[in-house]
Amino acid sequence: MRGGTSMQSTTGASGATKKKMNGYVGFSNYPNQEHRRSIKRGFNFTLMVAGESGLGKSTLINTLFESKVYPAKDENSHAAVGTPTAPGGTKTVEITSVSAEIVENNVKLRLSVVDTPGFGDSINNEQAWQPILENIESRFDAYLAQENRVNRSKIVDNRVNALLYFIKPTGHSLRAIDIEFMKNLHNKVNLIPVIARADTLTAREVEQFKARVLADINFHGIQIFRPVSDQFDDPDTIADNKAIAGKIPFAVVGSERFVERADGTRVRGRQYPWGIIEVENEAHNDFVSLRQMLLRTHMEELRDATDVSLYETYRTQKLLALGHVQDNSVFREFNPRQQAEEEERVHAAKMQKLEAEMAAVFKQKVQEKEGKLRQSEEELHTRHKDMKAVLERQRAELEEKKRRLGISDTPHAMPMNAHAHAMQDVAQQQVLSKDKKKRGFF
């Protein structure tokens, strides 16, 4: 082709032909087009936080997003309203949601933070996780109902993309309420364990507590979100992912205030008589690693895992429970060559089966014919034997008649000729006897 670009082709293991271009075509610019479209549309992200009261959930969220996502609490109004109480005086879990639109470098993020006040605050917390699980599943159900509508142009996605579970810094191990919560929700949401108020533990206690928490998580088979690398990641990204994964569970400190260090620099942190805890200092806590994973490097992976893995699993189970059955053969990738080979294999198997059936029928027919021939042979043999016996009996009778008539049996005369002569003599004697009677000799 004049003025065009040449290409080299190779056939992959899947049967598809891979083309290597020797010149610039332009479709590699597609990610830039997707980037422009994403900037126009913006992003949705739903984050749920769960844990006992007083662990700094609201403060950490405001620190993460550098904005007042959670407004300042009015202690008087909070005391007046309080957490819902059951008739028996037990506090119940309340699900609240706060939405905000955050803009950074012309990128719009529609953030929804779902809080669970009242969780773990009752004397009996046996089923404290149930309202949270029902809320997550109800969001799945709402999205599924929108997918099944005739007009799907405006689908609102409020599925929970990540859940920060705040672990109380006891320094020992996970409590029963922590284990039950994560065991019942780990297959419905991207679970990220966080050790709250890490400034109450020493560095040695933090490391020991992390090891115990991970041991409990592995022992109970709880799946938590971990950053993973693939073949497209560069060495720096792979190293960052390993470093972030090594910090799980994240021991964090949150603060909305700025304090002044000895050199006069103002930093976000907490002031103590013995010194300053800096929120964004990786030597003090894991806040930077949590923010790195949650917002800067793995936000889309969290959204994708929710859509492709967690929601699809729930959707499949839901539809199967309703009696829907799917024919997976309809969605197979069509390859003419593989289709022809498959049809040839099916035809060969069909012909082989047909030949086997015909051989079996032919063998059966031959056996039946051989049986009939043997039966006919036996019948003919019996008839021959009977006829031979009859002839022998008739021969004996003729011999007896010959003996009575006194006719000798010459060796050269045939039995039938002797019989004829004997009958002729008898006839002549009868004629002579009649003539004598007529003439009056007797």
Side-chain angles (χ1 to χ4, degrees):
M1 181 183 298
R2 187 174 59 186
T5 58
S6 61
M7 65 178 68
Q8 299 175 355
S9 62
T10 58
T11 302
S14 61
T17 303
K18 297 181 179 180
K19 305 292 185 179
K20 182 178 180 181
M21 311 302 297
N22 293 329
Y24 178 75
V25 176
F27 61 83
S28 60
N29 194 48
Y30 178 76
N32 297 330
Q33 302 174 31
E34 188 69 23
H35 173 74
R36 290 195 298 270
R37 189 182 69 169
S38 301
I39 293 297
K40 293 178 182 179
R41 293 183 176 181
F43 301 91
N44 294 327
F45 191 77
T46 302
L47 177 65
M48 176 178 281
V49 292
E52 294 183 10
S53 301
L55 295 181
K57 300 187 294 293
S58 303
T59 302
L60 181 65
I61 295 301
N62 290 339
T63 307
L64 277 172
F65 295 97
E66 294 283 349
S67 62
K68 289 285 186 180
V69 178
Y70 275 99
K73 295 182 179 179
D74 187 351
E75 296 183 359
N76 294 329
S77 61
H78 181 73
V81 177
T83 306
T85 305
T90 304
K91 293 182 179 180
T92 59
V93 180
E94 180 186 6
I95 308 297
T96 62
S97 179
V98 177
S99 299
E101 184 171 297
I102 306 173
V103 180
E104 182 183 34
N105 295 333
N106 295 326
V107 178
K108 292 183 295 183
L109 175 64
R110 289 179 290 273
L111 174 67
S112 296
V113 180
V114 183
D115 197 2
T116 58
F119 174 78
D121 295 340
S122 301
I123 298 176
N124 183 8
N125 295 303
E126 185 177 356
Q127 298 292 328
W129 50 266
Q130 188 65 35
I132 301 174
L133 177 62
E134 292 175 354
N135 182 268
I136 294 174
E137 292 182 344
S138 67
R139 293 169 182 268
F140 282 162
D141 292 334
Y143 191 83
L144 177 60
Q146 293 180 89
E147 280 189 328
N148 294 330
R149 292 186 313 191
V150 176
N151 185 2
R152 302 188 303 174
S153 59
K154 296 181 180 180
I155 295 182
V156 178
D157 185 6
N158 63 350
R159 296 171 294 179
V160 178
N161 302 121
L163 190 152
L164 296 180
Y165 182 70
F166 286 72
I167 302 172
K168 193 173 183 179
T170 60
H172 303 292
S173 60
L174 290 177
R175 299 170 300 164
I177 184 175
D178 301 327
I179 296 172
E180 286 300 315
F181 179 89
M182 290 191 283
K183 283 177 61 176
N184 286 280
L185 273 78
H186 72 103
N187 58 350
K188 295 293 191 301
V189 68
N190 294 310
L191 190 62
I192 303 174
V194 173
I195 299 175
R197 299 174 60 185
D199 52 343
T200 60
L201 301 174
T202 64
R204 181 183 178 85
E205 290 173 341
V206 168
E207 293 301 323
Q208 293 176 349
F209 189 40
K210 281 187 176 185
R212 296 190 186 100
V213 169
L214 286 177
D216 289 341
I217 288 175
N218 295 329
F219 177 79
H220 293 282
I222 299 171
Q223 301 295 326
I224 60 176
F225 180 80
R226 299 175 185 270
V228 294
S229 303
D230 52 33
Q231 58 181 348
F232 300 103
D233 292 333
D234 54 70
D236 292 338
T237 303
I238 296 174
D240 291 341
N241 290 340
K242 289 183 178 179
I244 292 174
K247 297 292 184 64
I248 298 175
F250 300 100
V252 298
V253 176
S255 177
E256 299 180 56
R257 298 179 180 179
F258 287 88
V259 295
E260 187 174 340
R261 295 192 302 189
D263 58 359
T265 306
R266 290 176 56 82
V267 294
R268 189 185 296 273
R270 291 180 178 272
Q271 180 75 51
Y272 292 98
W274 44 263
I276 298 175
I277 292 291
E278 298 179 18
V279 173
E280 300 183 16
N281 190 334
E282 294 188 67
H284 292 180
N285 69 99
D286 301 329
F287 173 81
V288 173
S289 298
L290 173 63
R291 184 176 61 185
Q292 182 81 7
M293 185 191 78
L294 190 63
L295 304 179
R296 297 181 179 177
T297 59
H298 291 81
M299 176 180 281
E300 184 59 28
E301 288 190 16
L302 289 166
R303 286 159 43 89
D304 192 59
T306 301
D307 183 52
V308 176
S309 178
L310 299 172
Y311 169 71
E312 283 300 321
T313 302
Y314 177 81
R315 179 179 179 273
T316 301
Q317 296 174 352
K318 187 79 172 182
L319 294 180
L320 289 177
L322 295 175
H324 293 270
V325 180
Q326 175 176 291
D327 183 10
N328 293 324
S329 62
V330 179
F331 303 97
R332 291 186 303 177
E333 182 180 355
F334 178 75
N335 188 321
R337 182 177 180 180
Q338 292 181 355
Q339 179 95 10
E341 293 176 353
E342 181 67 21
E343 291 177 356
E344 185 177 354
R345 285 194 296 268
V346 172
H347 179 70
K350 184 177 180 181
M351 293 301 298
Q352 186 177 3
K353 181 180 179 181
L354 184 61
E355 289 177 0
E357 292 177 352
M358 292 179 64
V361 171
F362 177 76
K363 184 177 180 180
Q364 182 180 0
K365 293 292 184 181
V366 169
Q367 291 176 352
E368 292 178 356
K369 192 66 176 179
E370 289 178 348
K372 289 182 180 180
L373 290 174
R374 284 194 298 268
Q375 184 178 358
S376 299
E377 185 179 0
E378 292 175 357
E379 291 177 356
L380 289 174
H381 181 70
T382 304
R383 287 177 59 189
H384 174 72
K385 186 177 180 181
D386 294 341
M387 291 178 64
K388 186 176 180 181
V390 171
L391 290 175
E392 290 292 334
R393 189 169 58 252
Q394 289 179 354
R395 184 175 180 278
E397 291 176 355
L398 288 175
E399 292 292 335
E400 180 65 22
K401 287 180 181 181
K402 284 171 61 178
R403 187 184 63 77
R404 289 179 183 179
L405 293 174
I407 302 175
S408 61
D409 187 8
T410 59
H412 300 287
M414 297 298 293
M416 294 301 296
N417 292 335
H419 178 67
H421 289 303
M423 294 300 293
Q424 187 177 2
D425 292 341
V426 171
Q428 290 179 357
Q429 291 179 3
Q430 289 178 355
V431 172
L432 292 175
S433 177
K434 287 180 181 180
D435 290 341
K436 289 180 180 181
K437 286 180 181 181
K438 290 180 181 181
R439 294 176 182 178
F441 291 134
F442 295 96

